[in-house]
Amino acid sequence: CFTDIQPEPDLEAVQRCAEAMGAYGPDWVIGLGGGSVMDAAKSAWFLYERPDLKLESLNPVEDFGLRARARLVMIPTTAGSGSEVSFGVVIKDEQARQKLELASFELLPDIAIVDPGLSSRMPAGLTADTGADALAHAIEGYNSTWSNDFTDGMAVHAVRLIFQYLPAAVSNGEDAGAREHMANAATIAGLVVNNTNIVLAHAFGHSAGVVFHLPHGRITALFLPYVIEYLGNGGVGRFRDLAAVLGLPAADERQAAASLAGAVRNLLQQVGLPVTLEQARVAREQFEQELEVLCDRAQMDTGMVMSRRIPDIDEIRRLFEAAYTGTHVDF
Protein backbone atom coordinates (compact mmCIF):
# COMPACT_ATOMS: atom_id res chain seq x y z
CA CYS A 1 0.00 0.00 0.00
CA PHE A 2 1.53 3.29 -1.16
CA THR A 3 -0.23 6.41 0.18
CA ASP A 4 2.35 9.14 -0.37
CA ILE A 5 0.54 10.80 -3.28
CA GLN A 6 -0.19 14.50 -2.98
CA PRO A 7 -2.82 16.42 -4.96
CA GLU A 8 -1.44 17.21 -8.43
CA PRO A 9 1.27 14.48 -8.19
CA ASP A 10 4.79 15.22 -9.32
CA LEU A 11 7.53 13.15 -10.94
CA GLU A 12 9.29 12.46 -7.63
CA ALA A 13 6.16 10.95 -6.04
CA VAL A 14 5.61 8.76 -9.10
CA GLN A 15 9.21 7.55 -8.95
CA ARG A 16 8.90 6.68 -5.25
CA CYS A 17 5.72 4.74 -5.96
CA ALA A 18 7.40 2.85 -8.81
CA GLU A 19 10.28 1.93 -6.49
CA ALA A 20 7.80 0.59 -3.93
CA MET A 21 6.19 -1.51 -6.66
CA GLY A 22 9.57 -2.83 -7.68
CA ALA A 23 10.35 -3.85 -4.11
CA TYR A 24 7.00 -5.62 -3.68
CA GLY A 25 6.57 -7.16 -7.12
CA PRO A 26 2.77 -7.03 -7.57
CA ASP A 27 0.93 -8.78 -10.39
CA TRP A 28 -2.02 -6.40 -10.05
CA VAL A 29 -1.78 -2.63 -9.52
CA ILE A 30 -4.89 -0.95 -8.10
CA GLY A 31 -5.31 2.83 -8.16
CA LEU A 32 -7.89 3.72 -5.49
CA GLY A 33 -8.57 7.43 -5.19
CA GLY A 34 -9.17 10.56 -7.20
CA GLY A 35 -7.56 11.64 -10.43
CA SER A 36 -4.23 12.41 -8.78
CA VAL A 37 -3.98 8.92 -7.29
CA MET A 38 -5.09 7.17 -10.47
CA ASP A 39 -2.72 9.15 -12.71
CA ALA A 40 0.14 8.48 -10.29
CA ALA A 41 -0.70 4.76 -10.14
CA LYS A 42 -0.81 4.48 -13.93
CA SER A 43 2.46 6.38 -14.26
CA ALA A 44 4.24 4.35 -11.59
CA TRP A 45 2.93 1.14 -13.17
CA PHE A 46 4.52 2.20 -16.45
CA LEU A 47 7.89 2.66 -14.71
CA TYR A 48 7.43 -0.66 -12.90
CA GLU A 49 6.83 -2.37 -16.24
CA ARG A 50 9.60 -0.46 -18.00
CA PRO A 51 12.27 0.54 -15.45
CA ASP A 52 14.63 1.17 -18.36
CA LEU A 53 12.60 4.20 -19.47
CA LYS A 54 11.68 7.61 -18.10
CA LEU A 55 8.06 8.60 -17.68
CA GLU A 56 8.52 11.28 -20.33
CA SER A 57 9.02 8.45 -22.85
CA LEU A 58 5.28 7.77 -22.87
CA ASN A 59 3.67 8.45 -26.23
CA PRO A 60 0.65 7.14 -28.18
CA VAL A 61 2.54 5.75 -31.18
CA GLU A 62 5.14 3.45 -29.63
CA ASP A 63 4.58 -0.13 -28.40
CA PHE A 64 5.95 -0.51 -24.85
CA GLY A 65 4.94 -4.13 -24.22
CA LEU A 66 3.21 -3.32 -20.93
CA ARG A 67 1.48 -5.99 -18.81
CA ALA A 68 4.48 -8.29 -18.75
CA ARG A 69 4.55 -7.93 -14.96
CA ALA A 70 1.13 -6.70 -13.80
CA ARG A 71 -2.41 -5.74 -14.79
CA LEU A 72 -4.08 -2.44 -13.95
CA VAL A 73 -7.32 -1.67 -12.05
CA MET A 74 -8.70 1.82 -11.38
CA ILE A 75 -11.31 2.57 -8.70
CA PRO A 76 -12.28 6.27 -8.53
CA THR A 77 -13.34 7.76 -5.21
CA THR A 78 -14.18 11.14 -6.75
CA ALA A 79 -16.49 12.03 -9.63
CA GLY A 80 -14.42 14.10 -11.99
CA SER A 81 -11.19 13.08 -13.66
CA GLY A 82 -12.35 10.07 -15.70
CA SER A 83 -8.83 8.66 -15.40
CA GLU A 84 -10.33 5.23 -14.81
CA VAL A 85 -11.25 5.09 -18.53
CA SER A 86 -8.38 7.14 -19.93
CA PHE A 87 -5.11 6.26 -21.62
CA GLY A 88 -3.55 9.56 -20.51
CA VAL A 89 -1.94 10.94 -17.37
CA VAL A 90 -1.08 14.45 -16.19
CA ILE A 91 1.95 14.69 -13.92
CA LYS A 92 3.54 17.85 -12.56
CA ASP A 93 7.18 18.70 -13.22
CA GLU A 94 7.98 21.04 -10.33
CA GLN A 95 11.39 22.04 -11.65
CA ALA A 96 10.06 23.02 -15.07
CA ARG A 97 6.88 24.51 -13.52
CA GLN A 98 4.63 22.76 -15.99
CA LYS A 99 2.36 19.77 -16.32
CA LEU A 100 3.36 16.82 -18.45
CA GLU A 101 0.48 15.49 -20.53
CA LEU A 102 1.46 11.94 -21.44
CA ALA A 103 -0.49 9.19 -23.14
CA SER A 104 -0.26 5.64 -24.42
CA PHE A 105 -3.09 3.35 -25.43
CA GLU A 106 -1.44 0.71 -23.24
CA LEU A 107 -2.20 2.87 -20.18
CA LEU A 108 -5.93 2.23 -20.54
CA PRO A 109 -6.84 0.28 -17.37
CA ASP A 110 -7.81 -3.39 -17.68
CA ILE A 111 -10.71 -2.90 -15.26
CA ALA A 112 -12.54 0.18 -13.98
CA ILE A 113 -14.80 -0.16 -10.94
CA VAL A 114 -17.11 2.84 -10.54
CA ASP A 115 -18.94 2.67 -7.19
CA PRO A 116 -20.83 5.89 -6.33
CA GLY A 117 -20.72 4.96 -2.65
CA LEU A 118 -16.99 5.60 -2.60
CA SER A 119 -17.58 9.29 -3.37
CA SER A 120 -20.23 9.79 -0.68
CA ARG A 121 -17.75 11.15 1.85
CA MET A 122 -16.27 13.80 -0.41
CA PRO A 123 -16.54 17.25 1.16
CA ALA A 124 -18.52 19.87 -0.70
CA GLY A 125 -15.46 21.70 -2.04
CA LEU A 126 -13.90 18.57 -3.50
CA THR A 127 -17.26 17.52 -4.94
CA ALA A 128 -17.49 20.87 -6.72
CA ASP A 129 -13.90 20.82 -7.97
CA THR A 130 -14.11 17.31 -9.40
CA GLY A 131 -17.58 17.80 -10.87
CA ALA A 132 -16.36 20.93 -12.63
CA ASP A 133 -13.53 18.88 -14.14
CA ALA A 134 -16.06 16.44 -15.57
CA LEU A 135 -18.04 19.34 -17.03
CA ALA A 136 -14.91 20.63 -18.75
CA HIS A 137 -14.26 17.19 -20.22
CA ALA A 138 -17.76 16.95 -21.67
CA ILE A 139 -17.92 20.47 -23.13
CA GLU A 140 -14.38 20.38 -24.48
CA GLY A 141 -14.74 16.90 -25.90
CA TYR A 142 -17.85 18.03 -27.76
CA ASN A 143 -15.89 20.96 -29.22
CA SER A 144 -12.70 19.11 -30.07
CA THR A 145 -11.88 18.67 -33.74
CA TRP A 146 -11.82 14.94 -32.94
CA SER A 147 -15.44 14.88 -31.76
CA ASN A 148 -17.50 12.26 -33.53
CA ASP A 149 -20.90 10.54 -33.64
CA PHE A 150 -19.91 8.11 -30.89
CA THR A 151 -18.83 10.78 -28.41
CA ASP A 152 -21.34 13.54 -29.15
CA GLY A 153 -24.32 11.82 -27.53
CA MET A 154 -22.32 10.96 -24.42
CA ALA A 155 -21.00 14.52 -24.14
CA VAL A 156 -24.46 16.08 -24.33
CA HIS A 157 -25.85 13.65 -21.75
CA ALA A 158 -22.91 14.21 -19.38
CA VAL A 159 -23.48 17.99 -19.53
CA ARG A 160 -27.17 17.45 -18.77
CA LEU A 161 -26.38 15.20 -15.79
CA ILE A 162 -23.78 17.56 -14.32
CA PHE A 163 -25.98 20.64 -14.50
CA GLN A 164 -28.83 18.70 -12.91
CA TYR A 165 -27.02 16.80 -10.18
CA LEU A 166 -23.79 18.61 -9.24
CA PRO A 167 -25.55 21.25 -7.08
CA ALA A 168 -27.41 18.50 -5.20
CA ALA A 169 -24.23 16.48 -4.65
CA VAL A 170 -22.46 19.58 -3.32
CA SER A 171 -25.28 20.68 -1.01
CA ASN A 172 -26.05 17.18 0.31
CA GLY A 173 -23.29 14.61 0.05
CA GLU A 174 -25.65 11.91 1.33
CA ASP A 175 -27.90 12.28 -1.71
CA ALA A 176 -27.31 8.82 -3.16
CA GLY A 177 -29.07 9.61 -6.41
CA ALA A 178 -26.99 12.71 -7.05
CA ARG A 179 -23.80 10.81 -6.22
CA GLU A 180 -24.69 8.00 -8.61
CA HIS A 181 -25.51 10.34 -11.49
CA MET A 182 -22.33 12.36 -10.92
CA ALA A 183 -20.20 9.20 -10.80
CA ASN A 184 -21.75 8.11 -14.08
CA ALA A 185 -21.35 11.58 -15.61
CA ALA A 186 -17.67 11.72 -14.70
CA THR A 187 -16.92 8.35 -16.27
CA ILE A 188 -19.03 9.16 -19.34
CA ALA A 189 -17.18 12.47 -19.75
CA GLY A 190 -13.91 10.58 -19.29
CA LEU A 191 -14.87 8.29 -22.16
CA VAL A 192 -15.70 11.36 -24.24
CA VAL A 193 -12.41 13.16 -23.70
CA ASN A 194 -10.45 9.93 -24.05
CA ASN A 195 -11.84 9.59 -27.59
CA THR A 196 -11.67 13.29 -28.53
CA ASN A 197 -9.21 15.41 -26.60
CA ILE A 198 -8.95 18.30 -24.19
CA VAL A 199 -8.85 21.76 -25.72
CA LEU A 200 -8.42 25.38 -24.64
CA ALA A 201 -9.80 25.43 -21.08
CA HIS A 202 -7.43 22.63 -20.16
CA ALA A 203 -4.52 24.36 -21.87
CA PHE A 204 -5.11 27.48 -19.78
CA GLY A 205 -5.92 25.45 -16.67
CA HIS A 206 -2.75 23.38 -16.87
CA SER A 207 -0.67 26.53 -17.22
CA ALA A 208 -2.31 28.48 -14.40
CA GLY A 209 -2.79 25.49 -12.11
CA VAL A 210 0.89 24.69 -11.74
CA VAL A 211 1.91 28.35 -11.40
CA PHE A 212 -0.73 29.35 -8.85
CA HIS A 213 -1.09 25.92 -7.17
CA LEU A 214 -4.84 25.66 -7.71
CA PRO A 215 -6.84 22.40 -7.97
CA HIS A 216 -7.10 21.09 -11.52
CA GLY A 217 -10.89 20.95 -11.82
CA ARG A 218 -11.39 24.37 -10.25
CA ILE A 219 -8.88 26.21 -12.41
CA THR A 220 -9.84 24.42 -15.64
CA ALA A 221 -13.56 25.11 -15.23
CA LEU A 222 -12.78 28.75 -14.39
CA PHE A 223 -11.56 29.24 -17.96
CA LEU A 224 -14.53 27.48 -19.59
CA PRO A 225 -16.82 30.54 -20.01
CA TYR A 226 -14.04 32.59 -21.58
CA VAL A 227 -12.99 29.99 -24.13
CA ILE A 228 -16.66 29.26 -24.94
CA GLU A 229 -17.12 32.95 -25.75
CA TYR A 230 -13.86 32.97 -27.73
CA LEU A 231 -14.91 29.98 -29.84
CA GLY A 232 -18.41 31.38 -30.32
CA ASN A 233 -17.05 34.74 -31.50
CA GLY A 234 -14.94 32.94 -34.08
CA GLY A 235 -17.95 31.13 -35.50
CA VAL A 236 -16.44 27.71 -34.89
CA GLY A 237 -18.16 26.62 -31.68
CA ARG A 238 -20.61 23.72 -31.39
CA PHE A 239 -22.82 24.99 -28.61
CA ARG A 240 -26.41 24.96 -29.92
CA ASP A 241 -27.11 21.37 -28.87
CA LEU A 242 -25.47 21.88 -25.48
CA ALA A 243 -27.45 25.07 -24.89
CA ALA A 244 -30.69 23.51 -26.14
CA VAL A 245 -30.48 20.52 -23.81
CA LEU A 246 -30.21 22.99 -20.92
CA GLY A 247 -33.18 25.02 -22.16
CA LEU A 248 -31.06 28.07 -23.01
CA PRO A 249 -31.56 30.58 -25.86
CA ALA A 250 -29.74 29.23 -28.91
CA ALA A 251 -31.02 30.83 -32.11
CA ASP A 252 -27.53 30.61 -33.57
CA GLU A 253 -24.06 29.54 -32.44
CA ARG A 254 -23.08 32.98 -31.18
CA GLN A 255 -26.16 33.23 -28.96
CA ALA A 256 -25.71 29.63 -27.85
CA ALA A 257 -22.12 30.33 -26.83
CA ALA A 258 -23.15 33.39 -24.81
CA SER A 259 -26.00 31.44 -23.18
CA LEU A 260 -23.81 28.47 -22.30
CA ALA A 261 -20.98 30.64 -20.97
CA GLY A 262 -23.47 32.40 -18.70
CA ALA A 263 -24.93 29.09 -17.52
CA VAL A 264 -21.46 27.73 -16.72
CA ARG A 265 -20.66 30.85 -14.70
CA ASN A 266 -23.92 30.51 -12.79
CA LEU A 267 -23.31 26.82 -12.07
CA LEU A 268 -19.77 27.44 -10.83
CA GLN A 269 -20.98 30.21 -8.54
CA GLN A 270 -23.85 28.05 -7.31
CA VAL A 271 -21.42 25.34 -6.14
CA GLY A 272 -19.01 27.84 -4.60
CA LEU A 273 -16.31 27.94 -7.27
CA PRO A 274 -14.56 31.08 -8.55
CA VAL A 275 -15.24 32.45 -12.02
CA THR A 276 -12.22 34.78 -12.13
CA LEU A 277 -8.59 34.41 -11.19
CA GLU A 278 -9.06 37.32 -8.81
CA GLN A 279 -11.82 35.38 -7.02
CA ALA A 280 -9.43 32.40 -6.92
CA ARG A 281 -7.19 34.62 -4.76
CA VAL A 282 -4.48 35.18 -7.32
CA ALA A 283 -2.88 38.51 -6.44
CA ARG A 284 -2.77 41.06 -9.26
CA GLU A 285 0.96 41.58 -8.82
CA GLN A 286 1.63 37.84 -9.03
CA PHE A 287 -0.60 37.51 -12.09
CA GLU A 288 1.22 40.27 -13.95
CA GLN A 289 4.59 38.89 -12.92
CA GLU A 290 3.74 35.40 -14.22
CA LEU A 291 1.71 36.39 -17.29
CA GLU A 292 4.45 35.69 -19.84
CA VAL A 293 5.12 32.27 -18.31
CA LEU A 294 1.39 31.51 -18.32
CA CYS A 295 1.11 32.42 -22.00
CA ASP A 296 4.18 30.43 -22.95
CA ARG A 297 3.00 27.28 -21.13
CA ALA A 298 -0.54 27.54 -22.51
CA GLN A 299 0.72 27.95 -26.07
CA MET A 300 2.76 24.73 -25.76
CA ASP A 301 -0.07 22.70 -24.22
CA THR A 302 -1.49 19.79 -26.21
CA GLY A 303 -4.97 21.22 -25.58
CA MET A 304 -4.24 23.78 -28.29
CA VAL A 305 -3.88 21.17 -31.01
CA MET A 306 -7.49 19.99 -31.31
CA SER A 307 -9.15 23.34 -30.71
CA ARG A 308 -11.50 24.56 -33.45
CA ARG A 309 -9.95 28.00 -33.07
CA ILE A 310 -6.32 28.35 -32.02
CA PRO A 311 -5.40 31.66 -30.37
CA ASP A 312 -2.17 33.44 -31.15
CA ILE A 313 0.05 34.64 -28.33
CA ASP A 314 -1.69 38.04 -28.12
CA GLU A 315 -5.11 36.38 -27.89
CA ILE A 316 -3.80 33.99 -25.22
CA ARG A 317 -2.68 37.00 -23.19
CA ARG A 318 -6.04 38.72 -23.62
CA LEU A 319 -7.88 35.56 -22.57
CA PHE A 320 -5.81 35.33 -19.40
CA GLU A 321 -6.49 39.00 -18.67
CA ALA A 322 -10.23 38.51 -19.24
CA ALA A 323 -10.21 35.53 -16.88
CA TYR A 324 -8.47 37.59 -14.21
CA THR A 325 -11.02 40.41 -14.15
CA GLY A 326 -14.11 38.55 -15.37
CA THR A 327 -14.44 40.57 -18.58
CA HIS A 328 -16.58 39.01 -21.29
CA VAL A 329 -14.56 37.96 -24.34
CA ASP A 330 -15.50 40.06 -27.39
CA PHE A 331 -12.81 38.99 -29.84
Side-chain angles (χ1 to χ4, degrees):
C1 183
F2 186 88
T3 61
D4 189 19
I5 298 295
Q6 74 275 40
E8 314 286 330
D10 59 25
L11 287 170
E12 291 185 5
V14 168
Q15 185 61 52
R16 290 195 303 271
C17 185
E19 291 170 358
M21 286 184 194
Y24 187 78
D27 52 13
W28 283 91
V29 171
I30 301 172
L32 173 64
S36 295
V37 169
M38 290 188 288
D39 277 8
K42 289 156 69 175
S43 301
W45 171 69
F46 170 75
L47 295 178
Y48 170 63
E49 292 278 336
R50 293 298 304 268
D52 56 315
L53 297 176
K54 293 184 177 181
L55 185 63
E56 296 92 317
S57 302
L58 271 169
N59 66 81
V61 297
E62 189 173 350
D63 183 2
F64 295 104
L66 305 186
R67 293 171 175 78
R69 305 180 73 180
R71 298 281 179 167
L72 190 64
V73 183
M74 292 292 114
I75 307 175
T77 61
T78 63
S81 79
S83 185
E84 68 274 11
V85 289
S86 166
F87 61 81
V89 296
V90 179
I91 300 296
K92 186 167 55 179
D93 184 340
E94 284 284 11
Q95 292 186 343
R97 300 181 72 206
Q98 69 180 94
K99 290 187 176 181
L100 302 176
E101 303 153 65
L102 306 168
S104 166
F105 293 104
E106 294 175 77
L107 281 187
L108 190 66
D110 296 286
I111 298 173
I113 300 173
V114 182
D115 181 350
L118 294 175
S119 64
S120 63
R121 295 184 181 180
M122 273 198 299
L126 184 59
T127 300
D129 283 341
T130 54
D133 191 21
L135 180 65
H137 290 158
I139 292 177
E140 296 221 290
Y142 195 78
N143 279 274
S144 165
T145 57
W146 284 1
S147 63
N148 55 76
D149 291 340
F150 294 94
T151 60
D152 280 354
M154 291 192 295
V156 171
H157 188 55
V159 169
R160 178 194 292 115
L161 288 174
I162 293 164
F163 267 87
Q164 183 172 354
Y165 292 104
L166 180 58
V170 170
S171 64
N172 178 14
E174 299 300 318
D175 186 331
R179 289 295 191 189
E180 179 176 2
H181 286 297
M182 280 305 303
N184 292 341
T187 300
I188 291 169
L191 288 167
V192 169
V193 80
N194 194 52
N195 288 278
T196 54
N197 203 48
I198 54 173
V199 284
L200 294 184
H202 275 78
F204 283 83
H206 287 157
S207 175
V210 73
V211 170
F212 300 129
H213 304 287
L214 292 166
H216 169 74
R218 185 185 310 171
I219 189 63
T220 301
L222 185 154
F223 287 104
L224 264 180
Y226 306 97
V227 300
I228 289 171
E229 291 171 341
Y230 174 76
L231 292 172
N233 293 339
V236 295
R238 300 179 68 223
F239 300 115
R240 292 186 71 180
D241 286 345
L242 297 178
V245 79
L246 299 174
L248 303 172
D252 54 35
E253 281 294 346
R254 194 179 186 92
Q255 184 184 42
S259 297
L260 184 61
V264 170
R265 286 189 175 95
N266 290 339
L267 177 65
L268 296 180
Q269 291 173 324
Q270 184 179 357
V271 298
L273 294 179
V275 295
T276 71
L277 288 170
E278 187 173 31
Q279 290 178 7
R281 300 183 179 178
V282 175
R284 182 66 169 176
E285 182 180 0
Q286 184 186 15
F287 172 73
E288 292 177 350
Q289 181 181 343
E290 299 285 8
L291 185 55
E292 293 306 314
V293 172
L294 293 171
C295 294
D296 180 63
R297 295 289 188 270
Q299 189 176 41
M300 294 190 299
D301 196 274
T302 58
M304 289 285 173
V305 179
M306 265 62 77
S307 175
R308 294 178 182 273
R309 183 185 181 194
I310 300 177
D312 60 28
I313 193 67
D314 180 62
E315 290 174 325
I316 292 173
R317 184 178 293 104
R318 292 171 69 187
L319 283 164
F320 270 118
E321 289 171 343
Y324 187 85
T325 59
T327 306
H328 288 280
V329 176
D330 59 2
F331 55 90

